[in-house]
Amino acid sequence: MSVWVYGEQKSELGLEGTITRKIEEDLYEVFIGPQHPGSGHMRIIIRIDGDIIVEADPDMGYVHRTMEKLAEGREWIKNVPLFERMAIQDACNVTVSYIIALERILDIEPPPRAKYLRTLLCEINRIAAHLYGFGIFGVFIGHSTMYMWSFADREVMVELAERLTGARLTHSYPIPGGARKDIPQDFPQAARKAVRYFRRRLEEYRKIFLDNPVTRKRLEGVGIIPKKIAAELGVVGPVARASGIKYDARLAEPYDAYDEVEFEVPVFEEGDALARAWVKFEEIKQSLRIIEQAVDWLERHPREAPIHDRFWAKSPPLWKKVFEAEGRVKLLPLMANMKLPPGRAMARSETARGEIIYYVESDGKSTPYRVRIVSPSARNAIVFKYIAPGYKVMDLPTIYGSIDYFPPEADR
Amino acid sequence: MPARPVVKRLPARRGLFAGFKGNVDAITIGLKYLVDPKRITLIYPNEYIKLDPGYRGFIVLEPKKCINCSSCARICPAAAMRMIRRMEEDPKTGKKKMKLWPVINYQRCIFCGYCVDVCPTEALYTVPYHDIVYENMAEMDWGLETFVKPPEYPTAKEGIPVKYIVDEEKGLVKVRAEEGEEE
Amino acid sequence: MAGIIDLILSIIFYPPIYQLVLVGLTGSLVVVIFIIWFERKATARVQRRLGPYHIAPRLAGLPQLVADLIRYAFQEVIIPRTADRELFVLAPIVATVLSILPIAVVPLTSNPAYWPIPMDYSILVALALTTVSPIFLIVAGWASNNKFSIIGGVREAFVITAYEMIAIMSILSASAAVLTFNLVEIVEAQRIWYILLNPIAFLAAFLSVLMATSGFPFEIPESENEVVAGPFTEYSGLLYGLNMGAAYMKRFAFSILMVLVFLGGWSPYTPGEGILSGYLIPSLIVVAKAAILMMIFSLTRSIYGRFRLDQALEGAWRLVFPMAVLGFGLALLEAYLGVM
Ligand code: SF4
Ligand code: SF4
């Protein structure tokens, strides 16, 4: 394909800058986004022939916030609230691997109670994020009931998270060596009720949305990513698992308590939008199982500070008093500008949208030398370019919603 | 390893009657909720959520406990907490001395609660509300005078306090929070 | 004095004026306001929220739509520089007026004194008039000169080709069963409501009306996730309100037609002499039935998403069209057996 610069073929001049391609005569170029009800903070430039997309160009970066660079100027622990803002409905999942990387550099292992607490919050977040995804998906294909329902039910999970951490969304929960708060006394009961409620509710979701003939028709066979292509494009998370790739960071490299709890990783082989919706649906069920197990474990074991001894053993008596009274783990003032030993570490965790990878490098200062984030949405965005062509214009929201693309996370 | 991948299949649906059943199911569910909506709406200004005491809301300073150590300002990730200098008379010796006091800027605060957790004397505490409206940005930058007392919570004067409790049937149920419960 | 009242009454109840202005314009406005409120409320109930509320909590937010209307009326109407001015303004107005035109030609009573037109071929005239207004949606889309509008307009054109045939076939099946084009005779012939005798035709007509008026799951031309607001993307203020209202008015016109054909018209009431019992009461019965029918139409919004364009067309031609043909066949069979 020849490269056209401002309508003329100037590629041999080596001009760089705005490169525009001449549009074929009978193609219609439509800009979906960034100010469009059917796009997020992104733009998809599609060229359509009749009703068929022949070319799709995801144009990302509208909410780029230079997170990696910002991180280099902040002390280690202060980056947690920053990275949370990639995907606030999924706050614990996206930050836990950063914390794990720090723990690897520090060479400490959090106590089991902290691991279970983090796992608990991660799964609460996963359900909340999947419901959020379902909501957006629902409204993308015109199903407003699904939108309202899943946002209403997400509230249950947000409520649980609030009781656990004290904040509805940006929990800033994991800290190097542990977690910041223990569960309140009445939490296990509330969590079990919520789990039972969700089990019943998911059945209703299935009836009105997934098995609704209109929805089913709309999703079936749309945006098929064959297994081989999925592997080549490097998609992650539910998108990969819907294409039959048995990959999940919790499976490949169990972090926190994931090697102790029992759960399944649902994999579908169809690779279409419906399969992706079902993966998320089944994952919610598995997350409920994990929540149950984590709550059971936490109830069975004695309450002790969920933090590594290094930050707890030498702490003053007030620390212990506050923990007894409120379950709050107080931080040592040295946390603020703690210096990490020089070293590098990598860690990954499975967020609701897929695997997130942190590469953290320390040169012995109180701020990171480099933090590299590979976020799942950034890896999944490529689907637009290679999968969308060939489908109808009305399939674009279906594909968008089914890969659950989340611009703030992709742009970082 | 307990976690394992499980290959599942999409539920098959072939034939005329599958579509028929799907439609009937969907319509039945819709009608069920039409008859019994199970609403969870909070009618906001008229009702407000009385949050649990553990909620990370607005932060207040207890100056008696504060040892002017600046830890809170150092750990604040949003640079909302900062230390200001003040000439103060030492009550014992009567000498004038420069002292550092934390103040908070709510334009910047993200309610992460690090400052509360890091304070070595528990001189900071959170109040369980955060929906306070200010008329201008300058008001949100609290001075020391404002910082030492809990902010006024106007919503509480007008609305009915409610609480959401997790319920097995309805997900969340709105119940009236008892008046005069623990503050 | 009495003479003046009589004169006023006779003017008001002069059938064309009564049906076009009172039932068609005022009546449909009231019904549409009520239906949109009902739709929002019912959808809100299914979706576990409140819906319109704060404007009048005692009335469950009923005046919300009036408030919306007032807002639309005072909003600035922005006409884009690139749009085709005259058509841009005219299209929604004409579409709205034309969409209530079918009401002006249907009988709302069996009393011949109050027929707006001779009734011999009234079902054909009414059906013909329903087919006029959609073209102006396409015109609106075209005149806006915006990519989304044009795509929306083209989609509208596709949908028209799908539903028109079905609507006409299924509604005409009644006249096949009764062997007349006279709507009054069709209504009178329904000792049992025709919906019970021919549910297939009713279902086909129901679906086609949903398609004609962009009801879910066929809300395709305005599907906001691809084409923003379809043909109405560039519209604002009152013109946008008109565009939106036109779909509901059209649904009202179709509902009246369906009430006459399938739901027994003014039965169980037998119109007598005089304005009151001969015209007002039967027409109110018809309007009330149409409103109930429209309430059922509104429920689909909370249950279904939307079909893809090609799926809607496929469904229409592969499933609903045969259904309409089957209904027509059933009607012929019933006519042969003399059921009606
Ligand atoms: S809550 Fe967080 S952002 Fe706010 S002042 Fe404290 S440390 Fe700073
Ligand atoms: S950390 Fe606590 S004691 Fe230290 S300055 Fe802040 S409020 Fe005062």
Side-chain angles (χ1 to χ4, degrees):
Chain A
M1 201 179 289
S2 52
V3 174
W4 292 74
V5 182
Y6 298 116
E8 283 176 71
Q9 198 163 22
K10 281 187 185 163
S11 56
E12 67 273 18
L13 301 178
L15 273 184
E16 286 182 12
T18 317
I19 296 176
T20 55
R21 233 175 266 134
K22 192 170 178 262
I23 307 172
E24 304 276 334
E25 283 289 305
D26 48 353
L27 291 190
Y28 208 56
E29 197 178 35
V30 185
F31 283 43
I32 309 277
Q35 293 168 349
H36 185 285
S39 77
H41 304 287
M42 78 169 308
R43 174 163 69 185
I44 311 169
I45 303 168
I46 54 171
R47 312 216 163 75
I48 50 179
D49 182 5
D51 200 25
I52 312 282
I53 302 172
V54 281
E55 239 179 274
D57 237 336
D59 185 3
M60 305 154 57
Y62 282 87
V63 278
H64 178 50
R65 290 161 291 176
T66 64
M67 273 202 185
E68 291 174 5
K69 194 69 194 166
L70 279 177
E72 287 168 22
R74 298 163 153 258
E75 281 77 8
W76 292 102
I77 191 173
K78 296 186 189 178
N79 282 329
V80 176
L82 175 71
F83 292 150
E84 257 173 9
R85 275 147 180 81
M86 277 190 280
I88 53 169
Q89 338 79 358
D90 211 4
C92 188
N93 277 319
V94 297
T95 49
V96 75
S97 42
Y98 171 68
I99 293 295
I100 290 171
L102 296 196
E103 282 164 356
R104 284 186 183 155
I105 296 180
L106 281 167
D107 198 19
I108 55 175
E109 180 88 351
R113 193 168 181 87
K115 288 184 169 181
Y116 270 96
L117 282 169
R118 285 188 203 168
T119 306
L120 177 63
L121 185 60
C122 277
E123 293 308 317
I124 288 174
N125 277 179
R126 191 185 314 282
I127 296 180
H130 275 333
L131 286 176
Y132 181 94
F134 264 126
I136 299 295
F137 195 15
V139 81
F140 269 6
I141 63 170
H143 203 296
S144 51
T145 300
M146 188 63 199
Y147 172 53
M148 292 293 170
W149 276 13
S150 49
F151 271 72
D153 285 332
R154 178 172 159 265
E155 200 60 30
V156 180
M157 284 297 147
V158 170
E159 180 80 21
L160 285 184
E162 185 201 303
R163 286 185 195 177
L164 178 57
T165 67
R168 283 165 54 83
L169 289 174
T170 45
H171 321 292
S172 308
Y173 191 61
I175 45 170
R180 281 181 61 197
K181 208 161 171 249
D182 205 337
I183 48 170
Q185 290 297 351
D186 58 348
F187 185 84
Q189 201 193 348
R192 285 199 194 101
K193 272 188 190 161
V195 166
R196 282 199 291 272
Y197 166 71
F198 263 97
R199 293 244 161 85
R200 201 171 48 75
R201 193 84 175 112
L202 284 176
E203 201 52 23
E204 292 181 347
Y205 278 20
R206 189 181 60 71
K207 279 184 187 158
I208 207 158
F209 187 70
L210 288 170
D211 275 359
N212 186 328
V214 176
T215 317
R216 217 178 135 109
K217 199 141 198 208
R218 191 73 198 278
L219 304 188
E220 222 164 15
V222 170
I224 297 178
I225 312 178
K227 191 170 179 178
K228 190 159 163 288
I229 307 275
E232 271 170 18
L233 294 179
V235 294
V236 286
V239 183
R241 289 197 285 280
S243 297
I245 296 178
K246 294 178 192 133
Y247 182 74
D248 186 314
R250 295 175 291 175
L251 201 70
E253 187 187 344
Y255 54 96
D256 284 353
Y258 285 113
D259 49 354
E260 290 168 36
V261 292
E262 194 177 318
F263 66 102
E264 291 172 1
V265 174
V267 175
F268 284 80
E269 283 180 336
E270 283 80 357
D272 57 357
L274 187 65
R276 290 196 277 277
W278 269 94
V279 166
K280 283 187 261 178
F281 184 75
E282 294 286 337
E283 259 177 33
I284 293 180
K285 285 187 188 165
Q286 299 305 324
S287 294
L288 293 175
R289 274 178 71 188
I290 301 176
I291 289 178
E292 267 184 341
Q293 292 171 45
V295 162
D296 281 348
W297 192 96
L298 288 168
E299 226 180 12
R300 265 188 285 116
H301 288 74
R303 281 166 89 83
E304 52 190 29
I307 189 156
H308 193 259
D309 265 355
R310 184 161 165 180
F311 301 108
W312 193 251
K314 286 199 221 85
S315 55
L318 178 71
W319 262 234
K320 276 139 203 161
K321 229 171 77 193
V322 170
F323 179 75
E324 303 278 282
E326 300 174 35
R328 197 146 54 82
V329 175
K330 279 183 74 68
L331 311 172
L332 285 178
L334 73 87
M335 274 280 185
N337 32 20
M338 169 176 61
K339 287 195 173 60
L340 257 61
R344 34 180 89 172
M346 209 143 128
R348 52 186 165 181
S349 62
E350 184 76 17
T351 76
R353 298 182 177 82
E355 173 198 55
I356 189 164
I357 302 174
Y358 282 90
Y359 166 74
V360 181
E361 191 167 338
S362 158
D363 55 354
K365 294 216 191 71
S366 57
T367 53
Y369 175 72
R370 175 85 169 100
V371 178
R372 167 83 179 125
I373 313 165
V374 181
S375 64
S377 287
R379 293 173 71 176
N380 287 346
I382 198 167
V383 169
F384 290 118
K385 187 158 180 66
Y386 292 101
I387 303 300
Y391 292 98
K392 311 232 164 30
V393 181
M394 278 193 90
D395 284 333
L396 194 66
T398 320
I399 295 173
Y400 192 127
S402 71
I403 68 169
D404 201 0
Y405 178 71
F406 194 61
E409 190 187 276
D411 294 348
R412 303 192 282 288
Chain B
M1 202 166 58
R4 64 200 144 90
V6 176
V7 178
K8 304 199 173 186
R9 301 221 62 97
L10 293 180
R13 86 197 338 257
R14 297 254 179 288
L16 215 58
F17 290 101
F20 181 72
K21 184 169 177 299
N23 276 315
V24 171
D25 277 353
I27 292 171
T28 320
I29 291 280
L31 291 182
K32 197 175 123 198
Y33 276 85
L34 183 68
V35 177
D36 175 20
K38 297 186 183 157
R39 292 190 179 113
I40 61 168
T41 311
L42 176 81
I43 304 168
Y44 173 58
N46 307 341
E47 300 170 340
Y48 69 95
I49 300 182
K50 193 165 160 52
L51 293 158
D52 292 334
Y55 188 81
R56 303 204 305 243
F58 271 72
I59 296 155
V60 183
L61 174 73
E62 280 180 75
K64 284 210 196 72
K65 288 191 189 167
C66 180
I67 54 166
N68 321 83
C69 70
S70 312
S71 295
C72 50
R74 273 211 309 274
I75 205 167
C76 178
M81 194 80 82
R82 68 175 193 278
M83 305 303 283
I84 52 163
R85 275 164 207 281
R86 265 205 174 192
M87 276 304 218
E88 258 175 37
E89 217 167 281
D90 201 316
K92 281 181 211 147
T93 57
K95 260 192 270 170
K96 287 219 165 179
K97 227 173 92 185
M98 193 75 91
K99 256 191 167 179
L100 289 171
W101 287 102
V103 290
I104 189 166
N105 179 356
Y106 278 114
Q107 294 168 23
R108 304 192 61 115
C109 179
I110 54 173
F111 299 100
C112 64
Y114 279 166
C115 49
V116 179
D117 281 357
V118 85
C119 178
T121 55
E122 283 283 284
L124 298 168
Y125 65 95
T126 50
V127 289
Y129 44 85
H130 70 183
D131 41 349
I132 299 176
V133 180
Y134 288 96
E135 272 172 18
N136 52 42
M137 298 279 272
E139 263 177 53
M140 297 176 75
D141 194 352
W142 284 9
L144 196 54
E145 288 71 38
T146 341
F147 195 20
V148 296
K149 53 180 185 285
E152 222 176 86
Y153 186 33
T155 318
K157 285 188 196 136
E158 289 157 19
I160 308 162
V162 295
K163 254 185 181 166
Y164 279 106
I165 48 175
V166 179
D167 183 77
E168 226 181 295
E169 278 303 305
K170 298 181 177 176
L172 286 177
V173 187
K174 194 165 64 179
V175 293
R176 229 181 139 114
E178 288 305 323
E179 304 281 349
E181 241 184 14
E182 81 280 275
E183 192 49 49
Chain C
M1 193 58 201
I4 293 173
I5 291 175
D6 269 355
L7 184 67
I8 292 174
L9 279 182
S10 68
I11 288 177
I12 289 179
F13 287 97
Y14 173 59
I17 290 184
Y18 175 72
Q19 292 200 352
L20 194 62
V21 178
L22 266 146
V23 178
L25 221 55
T26 327
S28 72
L29 199 67
V30 172
V31 170
V32 163
I33 284 178
F34 171 74
I35 285 299
I36 295 180
W37 170 81
F38 174 82
E39 182 163 336
R40 289 174 67 170
K41 261 330 216 196
T43 315
R45 272 182 91 88
V46 176
Q47 296 173 351
R48 311 173 68 193
R49 46 193 182 93
L50 273 174
Y53 172 77
H54 275 288
I55 195 151
R58 294 251 182 76
L59 294 174
L62 186 58
Q64 176 72 47
L65 262 295
V66 182
D68 280 354
L69 208 68
I70 294 171
R71 181 174 65 83
Y72 277 137
F74 286 101
Q75 230 171 23
E76 184 187 358
V77 176
I78 300 166
I79 301 173
R81 210 177 299 147
T82 50
D84 191 334
R85 255 188 116 76
E86 291 78 25
L87 280 181
F88 185 81
V89 176
L90 270 180
I93 298 171
V94 177
T96 313
V97 173
L98 285 182
S99 58
I100 52 173
L101 217 51
I103 301 173
V105 298
V106 295
L108 296 178
T109 173
S110 56
N111 190 336
Y114 301 110
W115 288 350
I117 56 164
M119 279 300 147
D120 287 345
Y121 292 99
S122 53
I123 193 169
L124 286 183
V125 179
L127 278 173
L129 283 175
T130 61
T131 61
V132 188
S133 72
I135 189 82
F136 286 92
L137 275 185
I138 305 171
V139 170
W142 189 255
S144 307
N145 196 7
N146 170 312
K147 283 179 181 172
F148 297 120
S149 307
I150 292 172
I151 297 177
V154 172
R155 286 184 181 185
E156 179 73 31
F158 272 117
V159 174
I160 292 169
T161 57
Y163 78 76
E164 231 159 42
M165 184 82 123
I166 301 165
I168 291 174
M169 282 277 281
S170 51
I171 289 177
L172 272 189
S173 67
S175 72
V178 191
L179 300 175
T180 171
F181 286 128
N182 187 335
L183 267 173
V184 178
E185 279 176 29
I186 292 174
V187 174
E188 301 277 271
Q190 296 180 45
R191 284 185 310 277
I192 313 166
W193 288 3
Y194 190 56
I195 177 177
L196 298 176
L197 289 179
N198 200 343
I200 303 173
F202 177 78
L203 197 59
F206 187 88
L207 291 174
S208 72
V209 173
L210 272 182
M211 260 191 231
T213 56
S214 297
F216 277 87
F218 301 104
E219 201 241 23
I220 292 163
E222 294 98 33
S223 146
E224 66 165 15
N225 294 299
E226 308 96 40
V227 290
V228 190
F232 319 138
T233 307
E234 293 285 1
Y235 282 93
S236 51
L238 197 57
L239 289 180
Y240 180 77
L242 274 183
N243 266 326
M244 277 309 174
Y248 281 93
M249 293 201 171
K250 201 165 149 197
R251 194 180 283 182
F252 181 58
F254 265 116
S255 296
I256 284 194
L257 202 54
M258 277 178 75
V259 165
L260 292 176
V261 170
F262 290 106
L263 298 177
W266 45 84
S267 80
Y269 186 78
T270 325
E273 292 299 314
I275 285 175
L276 191 65
S277 81
Y279 202 13
L280 194 60
I281 293 177
S283 64
L284 284 183
I285 290 175
V286 173
V287 169
K289 279 185 181 174
I292 291 170
L293 190 60
M294 283 177 81
M295 281 156 90
I296 297 170
F297 278 123
S298 337
L299 292 183
T300 56
R301 170 178 288 266
S302 54
I303 294 167
Y304 291 111
R306 55 172 87 79
F307 272 122
R308 208 166 61 205
L309 179 59
D310 58 321
Q311 288 165 348
L313 299 185
E314 187 192 309
W317 286 110
R318 285 245 182 97
L319 194 71
V320 189
F321 183 66
M323 226 149 84
V325 174
L326 206 66
F328 201 83
L330 194 63
L332 287 178
L333 190 71
E334 278 161 7
Y336 179 71
L337 298 176
V339 180
M340 271 176 88

